[in-house]
Amino acid sequence: MSSPDDRSDIAADIPENSEFSEISNDNGGVSRRNFLKGSSVALTIPLIAKGEKIVKAGGAEVKVLGPDKVNITLNINGAQRTASVETRVTLLDTLRNELDMTGAKRVCDRATCGACTVVMDGKPVYACTVLAVDAQGKSIQTVESLDQNGNLHPVQQAFVDNDAQQCGFCTPGFVMACKALLDKNPSPTQEEMEMGLGGNLCRCGTYNGIKGAVAQASQEMKKTRTMKGGRGNG
Amino acid sequence: MADYKWPEEGKRKYIGKRISRVDGPHKVSGRAKYTYDLNRPGMLFGKILRSAHAHAKIVSIDISAAEKMPGVKAVKIIQGPGTEIQWALDEIAAVVAVDEPTAEDAIRAIKVVYEKLPHFVNEQNLDQVPAAYRRQPTEQTKGEPDAAFKQSDVVTVEGTYGNDVITHCCLETHGLVAEWEDDKNVLIHPSTQSVSSIGQELARALGIPAGNVHVKMDHIGGGFGSKFPIDRWGIEAARLSKMVGGKPVKIMLERDAELAVAGTRPSAYAKVKVAATKDGKLLAWDSESWGSGGVAGTGMPPYPYVWQIPNAKTKHFSITTHVGPQRAWRAPNHPQAALITMSAIDDLAAKLGTDPLDFFIKNIEMTGVRANVYKDELLKGAEMIEWKKLWRPRGEGAVGSTKTLKRGLGLSIHTWGGGGHASDCDLTIHPDGSVEIKLGSQDLGTGTRTTIQIVVAESLGLPFDGVKVYIGDNKYPPSGSSGGSTTIGGVSASSRRASIDALNQLFEKIAPAMSTTPDKLEATGGKIQVIGDPTKSMTWKQACAKLGTQPLTTRGKHPGKESLTSAGVGGAMMADVTVDIETGIVKMNNFVAIQDCGLIIDMKTAESQVFGAMIMGIGYSLYEEKIMDSQTGRMLNGNMEFYKLPGLADVGNFKVHMMTGKGYDERGPIGLGEPPTVSPGAAISNAVANAIGVRVSTIPLTPERVLAALAMKKGGSNG
Ligand code: FES
Ligand code: FES
């Protein structure tokens, strides 16, 4: 006979008798995982009243959030969006489940596949591995912002023209990774492209089309830049 | 009158051209809604508690703590005490809660006590398979294999070859949203390859009439053969929704469950003996094979594959294991059969000191009815990959090799049936000239929507965007499941018939006004005109206005009159690889596919499917393997870091050539989902053997296995 499956998670590495777990027990029976996620946040984010607690850790008083839901404000595609989420909830799940922005996909949910890629302060990030509370105060750009008035962004158009998609489930992530790459490096070499898109996976096997799409989008974006007098096209 | 036959090459406006998929803009903008993306009003989240053990009896389940948790709306036992669980992560209980974190907490609060039972999960070595897990073998003999092997003029090789179990790893996991519209009617949004039939399965399970299940799905994030059934989680989602007053309940599998229980491609291993006469004619085959697809075991792949060797003997053991069960995986059984057959024959060619390309062509008549197709394809492929310029005998290293980087070339051929599934569709021409077609089909990313639109626009002589295609709803006329490369045959034939019937009815309506008879009319360039006389014409809009107020609807069917599709294709693949003999890493240089699939409707999406199959093939040849832990009986790599898919930098360069024109087009469209997935394993394994001078017996060809094979070779064994 044995006990039920205790699914491993990041907190499983913390010994039962550590300071962390003692405090988490003081904190109303929060699971270790919740506490860890909450505590990792508290030291880095600005003051938020709701759901905040002061606990002792390592002899010092620190602020933690959770386990209850907290109100957060996210700057997404230039607009302030609010949501009420537990501190353990990721940016990805907040976008998808709270804000109905489902372009970013949940696939591996642990920083392997890139399907959840969004751009945060100009850099592509895995939204499945960013806590929503940590994303506050950052500028977040999602795939939904790329097409304007029915006109696709050159990266998107290039994906369509080169048939760089089949089922399309990986596509929004690739589009964002590709855009972030080209914004930074308008003419990537083969190696730079492989690096830039190396954090994304496709199961249907669309890489051949994606390579073509990067080449086309690179050309198009350079043209646009020149037309706009050297400015990027956002 | 228009007839059903596909238009001649010179008369095709869209068919066979390179047309971008119609739902492409929707997908790139992130607005395409997949099952996983649905946020239905009032939706709740379901999660499943899964078995910790591969083989165990459930002694007790305590759900009381979970039930009391705030935010938890329902808890349900799926497999209760007394049940014997046969694979790890099988479904035990489910919860529904207001959000995912709460549902996860509730799952953790359920206490299950198991009585562990012995398990068996690793069948790679036949000698180590306990008798209880080994079914009675099946045996077949053709010709006189024993006598043939004893002939004085034969050259024989023996080898062991294998494919490990792999998974589908759809990026969108399995799952659905289920909700009750009232107490009798349920609406489901599954991620499925069977829009028209999955509801019947749910109705049976729930004991309600089939017509009370409404199925909708706009987009699916990958299926590859794993998404036909409603599955236990599908049925439970519907039951749980009922328990919470009909509210929508969403259950999507977690990644670890997806990889553990939502489908595998069975393993296949074989000890093979194959012989040819000294002058290089294939003569005899003898294989003892085994493999497993989980608790139900697995049948024998078709050995020897494609080659109709006159004397052949096979013996196959089906092995049962405590591993999540197999499902159809693109071209079931064929990739395994190709790997084992083509590897053995390649080893035989090497022993004879012959270029395998020459050996294949010399024996090509033994491939049967498609011998000429294969020959043309092999010659074409050889030209594309520069075979004759680059190839060198096994172990010498192809042109471009260095001391530590060995280059090699390998090839394989394959076949698949295809044919068209049953398909009904309704095509409506409205009096304002707009046209729509509806059918309960689905687009797996193969371009089904696009190809239907091409067929209708072509058949009615309309601009491409003059047609609207509706699929993904079981209230539309039923169309078959998308499996076995049967969709394009079915939907193109039914939509062609519906279009032609509608056109002929329209001709009848307008012929008098044009002072002619219907048989003298044709539709072309957005007009209806007297055949060959553009001066006597009417615009499409004017013609449709003659319908008055009543739209014209026709029901297209497949099968039906006139043969519009067929079955049976042949393809060839050639791989060019470089192996680093110090690290064991295999790098793809070039990969070439030559494929026949009858009449191509959309060249762009057809080629994409071949590229995609080649890349999936690189995955299972070099990286993918469902690794089971003998101790715990659980999958060790149930995530995407260690269940490895190839990335963009891993795949090298591709060339695809589709066989078209005379001899191909008149067969009608034939599906492409399966054929090009068959040969990669064999072509790549053969290329590696050619590069390093020794066979790496089992795919995936991991660095560890490559190095082990090299060490064996050095150690003097003949590998
Ligand atoms: S879902 Fe975030 S990287 Fe895979
Ligand atoms: S297009 Fe299907 S996963 Fe990339």
Side-chain angles (χ1 to χ4, degrees):
Chain A
M1 309 248 175
S2 67
S3 65
D5 171 26
D6 180 13
R7 293 177 17 154
S8 66
D9 57 41
I10 51 158
D13 300 335
I14 307 295
E16 275 303 335
N17 59 358
S18 75
E19 261 184 304
F20 284 124
S21 63
E22 272 169 40
I23 290 168
S24 74
N25 289 339
D26 290 344
N27 200 10
V30 185
S31 85
R32 287 170 297 157
R33 179 185 171 115
N34 298 354
F35 174 73
L36 257 198
K37 287 203 171 178
S39 70
S40 69
V41 160
L43 304 170
T44 53
I45 65 151
L47 212 126
I48 289 169
K50 195 193 162 200
E52 185 182 286
K53 286 190 181 69
I54 309 286
V55 297
K56 276 205 155 86
E61 294 201 337
V62 293
K63 238 176 275 168
V64 295
L65 290 171
D68 299 331
K69 289 190 175 178
V70 293
N71 292 328
I72 58 168
T73 305
L74 297 171
N75 177 349
I76 303 170
N77 302 331
Q80 300 292 328
R81 305 288 304 264
T82 56
S84 174
V85 295
E86 288 184 39
T87 52
R88 58 175 156 166
V89 172
T90 62
L91 172 60
L92 177 66
D93 290 352
T94 307
L95 288 170
R96 294 176 52 80
N97 295 344
E98 306 297 325
L99 303 173
D100 200 25
M101 302 181 79
T102 57
K105 305 292 184 228
R106 186 160 85 182
V107 170
C108 69
D109 209 18
R110 50 197 279 177
T112 309
C113 73
C116 61
T117 303
V118 300
V119 174
M120 195 157 91
D121 286 348
K123 286 204 194 99
V125 297
Y126 292 146
C128 69
T129 318
V130 175
L131 291 175
V133 284
D134 277 350
Q136 297 183 97
K138 314 246 157 110
S139 149
I140 299 155
Q141 194 186 21
T142 72
V143 70
E144 284 89 352
S145 70
L146 294 197
D147 55 329
Q148 303 277 325
N149 314 318
N151 293 321
L152 295 179
H153 183 277
V155 169
Q156 294 174 311
Q157 190 60 50
F159 269 65
V160 173
D161 294 347
N162 290 273
D163 206 30
Q165 48 184 350
Q166 289 188 43
C167 80
F169 209 68
C170 69
T171 308
F174 263 107
V175 165
M176 292 310 282
C178 184
K179 177 181 180 293
L181 167 71
L182 293 177
D183 280 346
K184 222 174 118 193
N185 178 359
S187 309
T189 61
Q190 164 97 2
E191 256 169 41
E192 287 164 344
M193 174 189 64
E194 289 177 352
M195 265 302 252
L197 301 181
N200 291 64
L201 293 170
C202 170
R203 183 46 157 167
C204 300
T206 56
Y207 301 137
N208 200 58
I210 291 172
K211 287 181 192 171
V214 175
Q216 177 183 325
S218 160
Q219 288 300 322
E220 282 303 312
M221 286 168 74
K222 266 187 277 181
K223 268 191 235 158
T224 324
R225 275 195 186 87
T226 326
M227 270 157 46
K228 285 190 182 167
R231 289 193 48 232
N233 65 352
Chain B
M1 297 288 266
D3 70 7
Y4 295 129
K5 270 207 311 305
W6 295 109
E8 303 279 314
E9 191 166 354
K11 293 200 172 151
R12 296 175 203 149
K13 183 139 188 252
Y14 305 113
I15 288 178
K17 302 287 166 3
R18 311 185 59 82
I19 295 176
S20 292
R21 64 183 67 230
V22 292
D23 45 9
H26 215 50
K27 287 178 174 177
V28 289
S29 60
R31 294 184 216 288
K33 289 284 181 187
Y34 298 74
T35 296
Y36 214 141
D37 298 334
L38 297 177
N39 282 310
R40 303 281 303 158
M43 189 175 83
L44 301 168
F45 292 83
K47 296 267 172 199
I48 294 173
L49 172 69
R50 297 182 170 277
S51 173
H53 303 292
H55 188 200
K57 201 177 216 166
I58 300 175
V59 175
S60 65
I61 307 179
D62 181 358
I63 58 172
S64 56
E67 281 178 319
K68 287 190 206 100
M69 292 171 70
V72 172
K73 301 294 180 191
V75 184
K76 186 172 181 298
I77 292 173
I78 300 175
Q79 300 196 80
T83 317
E84 196 175 308
I85 298 295
Q86 299 290 350
W87 57 85
L89 273 62
D90 196 10
E91 295 83 36
I92 302 220
V95 304
V96 172
V98 289
D99 55 26
E100 292 196 86
T102 309
E104 279 161 18
D105 289 345
I107 285 294
R108 284 190 205 103
I110 299 173
K111 300 274 175 265
V112 185
V113 178
Y114 300 92
E115 179 190 339
K116 270 180 79 173
L117 299 169
H119 61 254
F120 173 71
V121 293
N122 279 310
E123 74 284 7
Q124 288 85 344
N125 191 333
L126 185 61
D127 303 329
Q128 285 166 18
V129 177
Y133 295 90
R134 199 197 272 215
R135 299 246 176 94
Q136 276 304 314
T138 49
E139 294 182 62
Q140 276 167 20
T141 303
K142 161 176 123 181
E144 303 280 344
D146 291 340
F149 280 111
K150 283 191 202 117
Q151 263 174 238
S152 59
D153 64 334
V154 301
V155 175
T156 303
V157 288
E158 288 183 50
T160 302
Y161 311 94
N163 315 236
D164 290 329
V165 171
I166 63 167
T167 78
H168 301 72
C169 197
C170 306
L171 289 203
E172 181 187 32
T173 57
H174 286 61
L176 75 165
V177 180
E179 62 194 84
W180 290 79
E181 291 171 317
D182 52 45
D183 60 351
K184 291 198 181 65
N185 291 285
V186 64
L187 166 65
I188 58 169
H189 294 89
S191 180
T192 184
Q193 297 177 233
S194 312
V195 165
S196 281
S197 59
I198 195 170
Q200 299 166 23
E201 209 191 332
L202 179 62
R204 267 197 303 279
L206 298 176
I208 60 174
N212 293 17
V213 182
H214 188 182
V215 179
K216 288 177 89 161
M217 183 192 73
D218 285 339
H219 298 282
I220 173 173
F224 314 115
S226 69
K227 287 185 178 165
F228 297 113
I230 183 70
D231 284 312
R232 203 186 265 140
W233 48 82
I235 297 165
E236 296 302 338
R239 289 185 177 140
L240 286 159
S241 167
K242 191 132 217 189
M243 283 168 74
V244 296
K247 283 200 174 138
V249 170
K250 182 187 205 173
I251 296 185
M252 300 304 295
L253 263 52
E254 310 298 325
R255 180 58 51 187
D256 59 346
E258 178 74 15
L259 294 175
V261 308
T264 66
R265 185 177 86 177
S267 62
Y269 308 94
K271 294 171 196 162
V272 178
K273 202 162 88 169
V274 62
T277 56
K278 282 207 183 80
D279 62 347
K281 274 292 198 189
L282 269 171
L283 183 69
W285 170 277
D286 183 354
S287 60
E288 182 183 76
S289 58
W290 69 100
S292 183
V295 275
T298 195
M300 187 181 80
Y303 306 128
Y305 184 61
V306 177
W307 300 102
Q308 297 163 16
I309 303 177
N311 306 290
K313 191 159 100 173
T314 59
K315 181 175 185 182
H316 179 76
F317 293 92
S318 168
I319 310 293
T320 63
T321 53
H322 293 107
V323 178
Q326 70 176 59
R327 296 182 180 208
W329 195 106
R330 297 178 81 167
N333 273 334
H334 284 228
Q336 297 97 318
L339 183 272
I340 284 167
T341 307
M342 305 297 162
S343 299
I345 290 178
D346 185 70
D347 285 352
L348 181 59
K351 189 162 179 186
L352 283 159
T354 316
D355 178 341
L357 175 65
D358 298 338
F359 187 84
F360 272 45
I361 287 175
K362 178 158 194 178
N363 286 283
I364 208 75
E365 291 307 321
M366 248 179 250
T367 60
V369 291
R370 269 179 295 281
N372 286 334
V373 172
Y374 287 126
K375 190 171 170 193
D376 290 351
E377 289 177 339
L378 285 168
L379 294 174
K380 180 74 196 170
E383 179 192 312
M384 288 160 72
I385 207 161
E386 299 188 287
W387 184 281
K388 282 293 171 191
K389 185 174 136 204
L390 300 175
W391 185 87
R392 291 291 174 274
R394 185 176 282 192
E396 282 181 21
V399 173
S401 298
T402 68
K403 202 157 174 281
T404 57
L405 298 175
K406 301 291 180 195
R407 188 176 184 184
L409 267 58
L411 59 84
S412 170
I413 54 176
H414 57 260
T415 184
W416 185 255
H421 61 206
S423 173
D424 286 7
C425 63
D426 279 348
L427 182 128
T428 300
I429 300 176
H430 292 279
D432 67 355
S434 58
V435 174
E436 66 198 26
I437 182 164
K438 294 181 173 168
L439 60 167
S441 187
Q442 51 279 319
D443 188 337
L444 270 50
T446 50
T448 303
R449 275 189 182 87
T450 313
T451 52
I452 295 168
Q453 192 163 326
I454 289 173
V455 168
V456 178
E458 177 89 55
S459 304
L460 300 180
L462 288 176
F464 183 60
D465 55 11
V467 177
K468 184 101 187 72
V469 178
Y470 294 91
I471 60 171
D473 192 322
N474 74 335
K475 300 288 180 203
Y476 300 152
S479 202
S481 301
S482 287
S485 299
T486 57
T487 304
I488 188 71
V491 302
S492 64
S494 67
S495 44
R496 173 79 179 167
R497 291 192 181 100
S499 306
I500 298 301
D501 286 348
L503 196 57
N504 284 333
Q505 288 183 28
L506 189 62
F507 286 171
E508 268 165 41
K509 282 252 191 260
I510 61 170
M514 293 179 78
S515 331
T516 183
T517 51
D519 59 314
K520 303 256 160 46
L521 291 173
E522 65 178 355
T524 176
K527 286 198 185 107
I528 292 180
Q529 65 183 36
V530 172
I531 295 173
D533 184 0
T535 61
K536 289 192 190 138
S537 73
M538 208 182 247
T539 66
W540 177 260
K541 257 189 177 280
Q542 287 165 343
C544 296
K546 302 263 179 237
L547 293 170
T549 56
Q550 187 73 355
L552 189 167
T553 295
T554 50
R555 169 67 55 106
K557 279 184 172 294
H558 183 75
K561 271 191 229 137
E562 188 90 49
S563 159
L564 293 176
T565 180
S566 54
V569 297
M573 283 194 185
M574 295 184 188
D576 167 355
V577 307
T578 296
V579 185
D580 182 332
I581 57 168
E582 290 181 314
T583 61
I585 292 173
V586 178
K587 187 174 145 279
M588 298 297 301
N589 301 322
N590 295 299
F591 201 3
V592 162
I594 312 91
Q595 186 62 52
D596 134 48
C597 64
L599 175 68
I600 291 175
I601 301 288
D602 181 3
M603 186 56 86
K604 197 182 243 189
T605 52
E607 281 182 359
S608 287
Q609 244 192 308
V610 181
F611 288 129
M614 295 165 90
I615 290 170
M616 277 185 106
I618 293 170
Y620 75 68
S621 302
L622 300 181
Y623 308 112
E624 291 177 50
E625 179 187 358
K626 181 170 183 170
I627 305 172
M628 300 301 298
D629 180 8
S630 289
Q631 290 300 316
T632 62
R634 297 177 57 143
M635 184 175 179
L636 280 172
N637 56 342
N639 52 56
M640 291 177 66
E641 301 87 289
F642 298 108
Y643 187 86
K644 286 186 195 289
L645 302 181
L648 185 117
D650 299 322
V651 296
N653 299 313
F654 300 93
K655 279 189 192 149
V656 168
H657 177 81
M658 307 302 290
M659 303 296 279
T660 55
K662 217 174 148 13
Y664 295 97
D665 291 5
E666 51 282 13
R667 307 170 63 206
I670 310 175
L672 254 186
E674 334 292 317
T677 51
V678 175
S679 271
I684 293 170
S685 179
N686 288 342
V688 169
N690 177 245
I692 65 174
V694 61
R695 172 71 51 184
V696 183
S697 71
T698 303
I699 60 169
L701 306 167
T702 58
E704 190 190 1
R705 285 175 174 166
V706 170
L707 291 177
L710 281 164
M712 284 257 288
K713 179 186 160 200
K714 232 177 157 181
S717 156
N718 57 12

